Amino acid sequence: MTTDQSAPSTANGTATAAATGANATQRFASDKQVEAQTPPERVSLLAGEVLSAIHDTIARHEVTYDEYNALKAWLIKVGEDGEWPLFLDVWVEHAVEEVAGKAREGSKGTIEGPFYVPGAPTFEVEGTLPMRDDEQGTPLLFQGQVTSVDGTPLAGAVVDIWHADSDGYYSQFAPDIQEWNLRGVVTADEEGRFHVHTMRPAPYQIPTDGSCGALIRAAGWHPWRPAHLHLKVSAEGHQTVTTQLYFPGDAHNDDDVASAVKPELMMDPQDVDGGVQVTYDFALAKSGS
Ligand code: DHB
Ligand code: FE
């Protein structure tokens, strides 16, 4: 199959790594401002250290030409498959996020991953995420309160939420799912409270038919992320938290392929009539702190 990166398609029936990767590549290119403002000394320091680490590994483990050529072929294929966003967000982003969030007070963040799309449908205070008439899964009510780190409720805080469906697929990246399915932006009330009705997501398997899958098989790893909700929580005068929340008891909470689980991000779901209910509060650090 070929993919046209100017118009990646999700209408080909299966969630291939190449189609998912092409969509993620296009999203990254259009949403993220990549500014080349890193001074040359820092580029030299960072690129130099990464290259030295590679050289050390090669020397320490006496890497052969066959192994070097296998690596070269694999790296070329990651690009051809459009899987760089998937590769980087699974195996690298968590380290960057740790550094970025280290000094910030308030609710913990974790990786954004490749599947955020800005501009989802909005609603006020309480509503249901866009979903198919026959959306499968267990109904989930996700609610909470957004405050400042000093406890002041943040009126009009905004909670942007996106997650996989009960098969582990994301709208706009997997085929045959309507646009904005299980994605929405809720504005909280005067006390910073919000209520989101949705369907419990399933664990997510990173695409295994492309080059990331080939690495996983070659290394004897597994492709699973535990089930999770993705969130961006923001409020005027405060730092936005990009995070994920997890369900206790998931088989991969302790060995997430993307290393993004933190103890503070575990939810406490309660069984209620016809589904589950989660209350999770967010505390945001002030801007500039
Ligand atoms: C990937 C997918 C996710 O849903 C996520 O949260 C992080 C990474 C990925 O496929 O790279
Ligand atoms: Fe995800």
Side-chain angles (χ1 to χ4, degrees), residues 201-238:
Y204 168 83
Q205 194 178 12
I206 71 162
T208 51
D209 63 311
S211 33
C212 291
L215 171 62
I216 285 170
R217 272 188 303 282
W221 299 342
H222 73 75
W224 290 99
R225 298 217 59 222
H228 55 279
L229 304 176
H230 287 270
L231 301 125
K232 280 182 186 284
V233 183
S234 56
E236 182 122 8
H238 290 75

Side-chain angles (χ1 to χ4, degrees), residues 3 10 37 41 53 57 62 92 169 175 180 207 219 234 252 275 286 289:
T3 48
T10 52
Q37 58 188 12
E41 312 80 64
T57 300
E62 301 186 341
V92 181
Y169 292 122
W180 305 119
S234 56
H252 292 292
K286 297 203 165 69
S289 63

Side-chain angles (χ1 to χ4, degrees), residues 86 90 111 113-115 170 204 206 225 228 230 244:
L86 306 186
V90 164
I111 67 169
F115 299 148
Y170 286 85
Y204 168 83
I206 71 162
R225 298 217 59 222
H228 55 279
H230 287 270
Q244 301 184 22

